[in-house]
């Protein structure tokens, strides 16, 4: 088992790496050339910039029972299809029960933006979100050992 992090714009990279290190799990960061990570005790895979280049690299990298940290619902759906676990930066564990609704929401928001509409952006990140993420990740890591 390994922990794979979709590191492009991920606000919990250091928290996830620390949790993996604590549990003795191999950790892999996948990012494009616009992001630079150094001094992190994890394998770092850098892909060329492109709409979904990091996502496709992650899908090709993971095996069943791996854990993926991502904010991207589309990537989460592909991970679930490969029997991997996925969670977001707030500790939401993606599942067959919630992924369809999340993908529909993404589609609707994209249509609104394409039509010139505006949506509120995310609120400022809170310590409670970090704590929820850590709890969910540790739970997944411990359940897979």
């Amino acid at each position: 088992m390994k922990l794979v992090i979709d590191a492009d714009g991920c606000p919990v990279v250091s928290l996830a790496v620390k949790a993996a290190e604590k549990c003795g799990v191999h950790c892999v960061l996948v990012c494009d050339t616009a992001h630079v990570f150094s001094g992190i005790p994890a394998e770092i895979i850098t892909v060329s910039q492109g709409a979904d280049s990091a996502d496709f690299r992650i899908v090709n990298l993971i095996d069943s029972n791996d854990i993926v940290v991502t904010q991207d619902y589309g990537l989460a759906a592909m991970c679930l299809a490969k029997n991997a676990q996925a969670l977001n930066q707030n500790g939401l564990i993606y599942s067959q029960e919630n992924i369809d609704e999340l993908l529909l929401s993404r589609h609707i928001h994209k249509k609104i933006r394409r039509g010139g509409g505006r949506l509120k952006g995310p609120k400022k990140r809170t310590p409670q979100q970090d704590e929820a993420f850590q709890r969910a990740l540790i739970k997944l890591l411990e359940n897979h050992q």
Side-chain angles (χ1 to χ4, degrees), residues 31-139:
C31 60
D32 67 28
T33 56
H35 300 85
V36 177
F37 292 94
S38 61
I40 294 177
E43 179 183 351
I44 300 170
I45 297 175
T46 304
V47 297
S48 61
Q49 284 185 313
D52 296 314
S53 57
D55 297 349
F56 291 127
R57 180 67 179 103
I58 290 169
V59 170
N60 288 321
L61 177 71
I62 62 171
D63 298 309
S64 65
N65 295 320
D66 285 344
I67 300 172
V68 178
V69 176
T70 183
Q71 301 177 57
D72 185 314
Y73 301 151
L75 174 57
M78 290 186 284
C79 293
L80 292 175
K82 289 191 75 172
N83 294 317
Q85 294 273 314
L87 77 156
N88 76 3
Q89 73 282 359
N90 298 327
L92 172 70
I93 297 173
Y94 299 107
S95 67
Q96 297 300 336
E97 289 75 33
N98 65 18
I99 196 66
D100 288 338
E101 184 177 336
L102 293 168
L103 289 168
L104 177 61
S105 171
R106 179 180 79 162
H107 174 71
I108 290 168
H109 290 152
K110 193 172 189 177
K111 281 180 74 171
I112 291 169
R113 285 190 300 274
R114 251 193 252 135
R118 298 189 64 164
L119 301 167
K120 289 184 179 181
K123 295 179 182 176
K124 185 176 178 181
R125 187 155 185 84
T126 67
Q128 292 79 14
Q129 289 171 308
D130 287 344
E131 291 167 14
F133 170 76
Q134 282 181 303
R135 279 192 307 273
L137 179 57
I138 292 292
K139 180 180 174 184

